[in-house]
Structures are given as structure tokens and as C-alpha cells.
Amino acid sequence: MLLSQSLVAQQQNDTPKFEGYLFAYFEGKSDPMKREYLRFATSLDGIKWKAMNNNFPLISSDTIASTGGIRDPHLLRGQDKGFYMVATDMKTFKNGWDNNPGLVMMYSDNLADWKHKVINLEKSYPKKFKNVKWVWAPQTFYDSKKGKYLVYFTVRYHHNEKLDFYAAYANKDFTGFESEPKLLFSPKFGGIDGDIIFDKGIYHFFYKGNTKDANGKEFKNGIKVATSNSLWGPWKENDGYLDAYANTPTKVEGSSIFKLNNSDEYLLMYDVYSDGRYEFQRSKDLANFTEKPESFTKNFDPRHGSIISITKEEARNLDRKWGGVVPELVQPKEKEDRYVFQHKGNPIIQHHYTADPAALVKGDTLWLYTGHDFEGGQRGYVMRDWLVYSTTDMKTWTEYPVPLHVSEFKWATSKAAFAGHVTERNGKYYFYVSTNHTGIGVAVADRPEGPFKDALGKPLLTNKDCFASTHSWACIDPAVYIDDDGTAWIFWGNRECYYAKLKDNMIEIDGEIKQINFDGFSFTEAPWIHKYKGKYYLTYATGFPEKIEYAMSDNIQGPWEYKGILNEIAGNSNTNHQSILEFKGKWYFIYHNGGINTDGGSYSRSVCIDKMEYNDDGTIKRIVMTSEGI
């Protein structure tokens, strides 16, 4: 009894914790010469999908397939914690449909790095497959009774139009077959795009089948299923069709079935290739399916592919390699969880839309706090929390769990998490944030990564403090500077720029609120104060679309002398918000643009970093925004 309980516990501990899904597919509407290339997409719920790598190919098919193209990629999570993928070796746009010689077998232990082998059935097994015309839609199934991986696929010969399923066990390193493939299943009228799943002691074989009249003319086709008590059959073909389109002119193919995480529900998906759609129907018993088809939400046009469940760490491996993984799949949520990645140029963070950067140096670490534009392609500022990252070398970055939600400020009825700034004093970290028309708040934490808690229970500043302003969003964009003598100052505003002292407790205004004005000062928002060789620098956004200009002074309260433009309009973004600081002897200009294609823009922004340099007279050289970054 104790041994049995131990085994059950061990099995439970060995079961991966699935957080999302991975979709392997080839394209239907991109560059014709690159459609039949491997692509991946990820999803949090299995319904709403986002293409990785901006829907560009992950691996050039020219390097893995003899024809230069792959179709119908099928993914399988192995019993040995590895991953198996097989695909049709075929490039129809270049070579047409007359013939394809075989398939491609691939193996990975992390989903990011793949080994491959081309299997040419005609050359490898000339006795059986000398006259083969098609080797289509291969898939892999783990035979638990044999402890081997079975690869099965559709075969058609030049001399016989019948479409049958053949299969063979893969060798141990998944680079070929143990022996010549044998007939696995011969549907009455033929079949393609097979997908086997085992449930409750029964093997279910989903495939695209058809029905023909006495003269051999096909008059119906769609998704069918056959069942068996044995992997090698005999298979019993069930009557009727499963898909919603079998009795209509709409054609479907590429059926594939997967189970939702933490659910007893299966999704049978298929390629509605005649109309360029990808849809699915639901089932809990693999026999009865919902009648009304549903559509995936996606930013790509997939053709026949397959889906597996993935863990958070697997998602992170994919994101580090190619980028574009759904943000929620890589983002840390647990207190001690971290996501470590290396930036690949600008924008430096590409799995979130980030804006309004504010940086803090503590010891040998730079902490970067950003706003968070929730999605790509937004049509307004939808921001509900702030994000935090750290680095010690400006290349490798660590992401932490969300340090602060706007919901922490119960008084912030706007629910808007606009620009913020973090500073440290006496071992405490103070996060000053703007919440649009409800004011500027302060949160405090014991650690730079948070979590931060509302320090006041009310706003520190509101529109009432913006005495020269008449519009509702005047009280935004706080920036705090602690001078060499220990005096803390806060600057803020939109259209009009204000400043005031902070008390030593950092959560109260000390004295009079003042407004900044000087010749040449055309202020929009985003004030920032820094100091260099005894001089104070005020940088700020001006105009709309915004540039960054700056002024210099011998005193933090002025008078200020206008010095001109520092940074031009940041690409694909109407706003421009900067953070300037020195880290390990070098100066950096941190800003945002709309540089993540294809969903970047004024409301879906991304933080970038470029170097900043001074002239001999203390003025700043114009910032050169680069794709390479630092």
C-alpha cells in the first residue's frame, strides 16, 4: 500500500505543469516561396493564438528538407521528456503536386534546438516504395506496449490512386525506421491527414475520408474516425462525418485533436482550406462533437498543423530562441520566479509592450521600471500595472513578478497605470505613479523588485495642485531627484511643468508647489532631472508627436537655459518618454518607440536603450536611435 502511494506521488510529481499551448504549422498566405516552412504560435487558452517570430519561418526548410519545403508538421511530447516532430517533405509552389519522396524526422530536448533527418521512402525501401507518388502528413504516436515511437503517414502510388496509411517504428535516435513501413489502416475509400489518440482503452483514428458512388465518384468528404482495441488494428470505420461541413460545399482537411489543459474537453480542429479559416469543434468523449464550429483567434494564416501543451520553462526556451511567445506564458507570477533573457537589440523587451521607462542604479545593478501597454494593436492607453527588470551588464535581463497593480490604489478610480518613477531612500523604495485624472500616488517596498504597497491611502498630488492647468490629465508623469545635500524633489505635469520639495519621509510635499517657465520652454510632459559635472539637466517631451528637448542650470530651481532637441520623434509612436542615468561609467538614454512589428504603435510601445554622450562644454550630443541598441 505504501509503495503504491509512493508511485502515485512520484507520477504526480513527474507530470509537467502545463501553462499553455504550442501550435506547429505552415503558412497559407505569406510569400509563396516561404509558405512551406516551419512556424510556431503560442496560446494561453488554446483558442487565442499569437505567431512567434512575427510569423516568419523558424527554421529554413531549405536546410531540413530535400525538396526545400515542409508541410503538415506534427509535434509529439515524448515519454523521455524529449520532443518529436515529423513533416511532409514537399514544396508544391516550386515542384507541384506530382510527387514527393518522403518525410522529415526531427528531435529536440527543449523545443528550441532541433536535429533532423530526411527519410526518402523510394530510395530507402525501393522494393516496396519504388513507385510511390505521395508520402503525406506523417505523425508520431508512442506505443506504450512496445516502448517505441510509431511514425505513420498516407501513401499513394503512381499506379494506384488509393490513399492508405502506412507505419513503421522509429529507431532509438529518431533518425530513421527500424524496418520497412507496413500497412496500418486502409479506409474503404482512402484517407489522408491521420491523427491517432488513445483514450479509455480505445485507439481513435481521426482522418479525412470520403464517400464514393458505385462508379467510384466521390460525392462527400470530411473528417471521419475509426476505432480499434489495438494500435495496429483492425480499425472499424464509424459511419458518418464529424465536422460541421461534411454536407456542404465547404471543404476541410488537416484534422488534429488535442486536449485542453486541466479539462476533460477535447478540441477537434481542422483547416477550412477552401475558405482560408481554421476552426474546431468540442468533445468530451471523442465520439460526440458540438455541432457548431468555432474559430480560433489568430494573427496568422495556418495550414495543416498540430498542437501540444507546454510548460512555462518550455515557453521561455522558445521565447529566448525566436521571440513572440504570448507574454503571460513567460511572465513570472510566483514570488521567487524569474525570467532571464538576453536582449537582441532595440526594443530590448519584446515579449511585453513596455513604455515610460524609469531606471534606478543600486550597487552593481540597474533596475528598469516600465509602464505596460497590455496588448498589441491597441487603440488607446490600456495600462493596468507596472513591470520591473534588472541587469548587471545591460545585456542579460531578469524579469520579476508584477511589482505594482493600479488596483493597489483604491482611490484611483481611473484604473490607469500611467508613467512612474522609483527612487530609494533609507533602505526603502518609493514608487511614484500617475493614474491619469485621479492624481499621483506613492507606493513603498522593502526591495527594489517589490511588491509595492500604497504608502498614503490617497494621492500625493491631484489636479488641484496643478494651479496653472485647466485640463484633466495635468497631474501625470512624476520624476523624483534626490540632490547631493539630501533634498528630495518631485517634478511632474502635462502642458505645464511643476516641481516641489518632498519631506524626508518621501510621502509628503514640503512647502510651495512651483511652475517652471523659461525662454524656449515648450513643455508637453515627461520631465526628468539628472546631474553631470555640477550641472542640472531638465529633459522633457515637447510637441506632438513628441520629441525630447533639454535645458541646463546651475541650480535645480533654475534659472534654466534652453539647449535644444535631444531626441527626435521615436519611430511609430506619438509619445516619447525618457530616462537618463549613468551606469558603470557610461551614460544611457532609455526611451520607448512603437518598434515591435506588426502590432507596435502609439498605444503598443516598446522600451529601447541607446548610448548618450556629452560635448566638452557639457551639452549633450543628439541621441542616435539604433536598431542594434547598446
Side-chain angles (χ1 to χ4, degrees):
M1 184 65 178
L2 290 175
L3 179 60
S4 175
Q5 290 175 340
S6 176
L7 287 173
V8 169
Q10 181 179 347
Q11 290 173 349
Q12 290 175 342
N13 290 335
D14 289 343
T15 302
K17 182 182 179 183
F18 295 126
E19 302 276 352
Y21 306 85
L22 178 66
F23 187 177
Y25 62 98
F26 72 102
E27 255 282 350
K29 293 184 179 180
S30 61
D31 177 354
M33 289 301 291
K34 293 184 178 180
R35 287 179 188 173
E36 292 162 320
Y37 280 44
L38 176 66
R39 291 169 169 86
F40 283 167
T42 57
S43 171
L44 197 63
D45 61 3
I47 309 297
K48 185 177 181 180
W49 292 89
K50 178 176 182 284
M52 290 179 54
N53 197 34
N54 288 323
N55 199 33
F56 292 118
L58 304 182
I59 302 172
S60 172
S61 295
D62 295 333
T63 65
I64 60 174
S66 65
T67 61
I70 64 104
R71 299 171 65 90
D72 323 312
H74 178 258
L75 270 171
L76 178 72
R77 177 183 294 276
Q79 298 297 306
D80 57 354
K81 299 184 179 180
F83 299 90
Y84 299 84
M85 184 159 49
V86 288
T88 307
D89 186 353
M90 193 173 195
K91 192 165 188 174
T92 59
F93 187 80
K94 178 182 178 183
N95 304 319
W97 293 88
D98 285 345
N99 183 70
N100 80 289
L103 54 98
V104 179
M105 299 175 69
M106 303 177 68
Y107 174 80
S108 173
D109 57 12
N110 61 6
L111 286 173
D113 304 294
W114 292 89
K115 298 177 181 178
H116 74 277
K117 187 72 174 181
V118 173
I119 309 300
N120 187 314
L121 260 67
E122 192 171 35
K123 291 181 179 179
S124 300
Y125 306 101
K127 184 176 181 181
K128 180 69 178 178
F129 296 102
K130 182 178 181 180
N131 202 33
V132 69
K133 180 176 181 177
W134 292 335
V135 182
W136 277 7
Q139 297 205 172
T140 308
F141 184 88
Y142 180 70
D143 186 343
S144 59
K145 294 181 179 179
K146 295 278 190 178
K148 298 178 181 180
Y149 292 92
L150 184 75
V151 179
Y152 57 100
F153 42 86
T154 292
V155 166
R156 177 184 169 183
Y157 291 94
H158 285 284
H159 62 275
N160 186 351
E161 293 186 357
K162 181 71 185 302
L163 293 159
D164 288 326
F165 293 99
Y166 280 75
Y169 288 108
N171 57 24
K172 289 185 177 180
D173 58 3
F174 207 69
T175 57
F177 301 142
E178 288 186 340
S179 59
E180 180 183 86
K182 298 178 181 179
L183 184 66
L184 175 68
F185 173 39
S186 181
K188 182 177 180 180
F189 296 113
I192 61 171
D193 299 346
D195 191 14
I196 300 173
I197 189 168
F198 182 74
D199 184 63
K200 297 181 177 64
I202 301 295
Y203 295 90
H204 302 258
F205 200 135
F206 295 88
Y207 62 99
K208 180 179 179 178
N210 63 86
T211 306
K212 297 179 180 179
D213 60 21
N215 297 317
K217 183 178 179 180
E218 179 182 308
F219 63 89
K220 183 185 289 189
N221 65 56
I223 308 304
K224 296 178 70 69
V225 66
T227 56
S228 174
N229 293 319
S230 170
L231 181 57
W232 282 92
W235 295 94
K236 179 183 177 182
E237 297 184 65
N238 290 11
D239 295 331
Y241 292 82
L242 302 176
D243 66 283
Y245 297 103
N247 295 311
T248 74
T250 300
K251 306 299 182 184
V252 306
E253 64 182 17
S255 62
S256 184
I257 193 158
F258 68 98
K259 194 173 186 180
L260 293 177
N261 297 334
N262 306 311
S263 172
D264 59 356
E265 193 167 57
Y266 292 90
L267 300 190
L268 173 65
M269 66 179 192
Y270 42 77
D271 181 1
V272 191
Y273 65 95
S274 58
D275 292 343
R277 303 196 307 275
Y278 225 96
E279 297 183 340
F280 63 91
Q281 293 168 239
R282 302 172 186 260
S283 176
K284 291 187 176 181
D285 60 8
L286 297 177
N288 301 289
F289 288 82
T290 52
E291 294 183 4
K292 185 178 180 180
E294 302 173 61
S295 293
F296 292 117
T297 301
K298 51 186 174 53
N299 63 346
F300 55 102
D301 295 289
R303 295 299 313 276
H304 184 184
S306 60
I307 291 172
I308 65 169
S309 298
I310 56 174
T311 67
K312 183 178 288 290
E313 191 52 45
E314 290 160 359
R316 289 172 174 174
N317 286 336
L318 290 164
D319 193 68
R320 292 183 188 105
K321 180 79 173 190
W322 292 295
V325 168
V326 171
E328 294 85 351
L329 284 180
V330 301
Q331 185 174 26
K333 294 180 180 179
E334 303 300 326
K335 182 178 179 180
E336 300 302 326
D337 189 20
R338 305 288 185 266
Y339 175 38
V340 179
F341 62 96
Q342 290 192 335
H343 81 79
K344 301 175 182 178
N346 283 326
I348 63 166
I349 301 159
Q350 302 201 2
H351 58 283
H352 289 296
Y353 292 96
T354 52
D356 306 325
L360 167 71
V361 173
K362 184 65 177 176
D364 69 347
T365 302
L366 182 145
W367 293 87
L368 176 64
Y369 302 86
T370 76
H372 181 197
D373 292 331
F374 258 46
E375 294 184 353
Q378 294 186 154
R379 294 296 177 263
Y381 296 112
V382 182
M383 307 172 77
R384 297 288 181 258
D385 56 28
W386 293 267
L387 304 177
V388 58
Y389 306 85
S390 71
T391 183
T392 58
D393 61 7
M394 299 300 285
K395 183 170 181 62
T396 300
W397 293 84
T398 299
E399 180 180 3
Y400 300 80
V402 171
L404 180 62
H405 295 263
V406 72
S407 59
E408 174 64 23
F409 302 103
K410 306 304 180 186
W411 48 266
T413 56
S414 65
K415 301 187 185 302
F418 281 17
H421 187 140
V422 176
T423 192
E424 184 266 339
R425 188 161 203 166
N426 298 327
K428 296 284 187 180
Y429 296 85
Y430 296 88
F431 205 151
Y432 300 83
V433 300
S434 48
T435 63
N436 200 357
H437 59 84
T438 48
I440 290 172
V442 189
V444 65
D446 295 324
R447 303 190 303 179
E449 68 268 33
F452 288 83
K453 299 296 181 183
D454 187 357
L456 278 172
K458 62 180 181 179
L460 172 69
L461 295 161
T462 68
N463 285 336
K464 293 180 180 179
D465 298 299
C466 302
F467 54 84
S469 301
T470 58
H471 59 292
S472 64
W473 62 97
C475 192
I476 65 171
D477 291 4
V480 175
Y481 182 79
I482 300 177
D483 212 341
D484 298 337
D485 64 0
T487 305
W489 299 85
I490 183 168
F491 293 72
W492 74 94
N494 177 282
R495 293 186 185 171
E496 297 79 29
C497 186
Y498 303 93
Y499 73 100
K501 285 184 182 181
L502 286 167
K503 290 185 178 180
D504 289 344
N505 62 17
M506 302 297 285
I507 57 174
E508 292 181 273
I509 299 298
D510 185 6
E512 182 183 4
I513 292 173
K514 300 178 181 179
Q515 184 182 2
I516 296 177
N517 278 305
F518 55 87
D519 290 342
F521 189 45
S522 178
F523 177 80
T524 301
E525 58 187 357
W528 182 275
I529 297 288
H530 78 275
K531 198 172 184 180
Y532 174 73
K533 291 187 176 180
K535 295 286 187 180
Y536 295 89
Y537 294 76
L538 169 65
T539 53
Y540 52 91
T542 184
F544 198 81
E546 296 172 352
K547 303 178 181 70
I548 299 298
E549 294 184 334
Y550 79 106
M552 294 173 60
S553 175
D554 293 323
N555 189 296
I556 197 167
Q557 297 193 74
W560 295 96
E561 182 181 353
Y562 175 71
K563 292 298 181 181
I565 295 173
L566 178 59
N567 189 42
E568 289 287 355
I569 295 170
N572 202 23
S573 175
N574 286 330
T575 59
N576 203 333
H577 194 120
Q578 79 294 351
S579 175
I580 296 171
L581 79 171
E582 183 183 18
F583 180 56
K584 296 188 176 180
K586 296 181 180 180
W587 284 88
Y588 296 99
F589 185 84
I590 310 175
Y591 60 103
H592 67 235
N593 64 15
I596 295 183
N597 290 323
T598 56
D599 290 335
S602 285
Y603 305 111
S604 300
R605 299 158 295 179
S606 300
V607 167
C608 303
I609 303 179
D610 279 300
K611 67 180 181 179
M612 194 180 84
E613 297 177 315
Y614 297 88
N615 296 307
D616 292 340
D617 63 358
T619 58
I620 308 174
K621 294 181 179 180
R622 187 75 67 94
I623 299 298
V624 177
M625 294 179 285
T626 68
S627 297
E628 297 82 5
I630 51 173

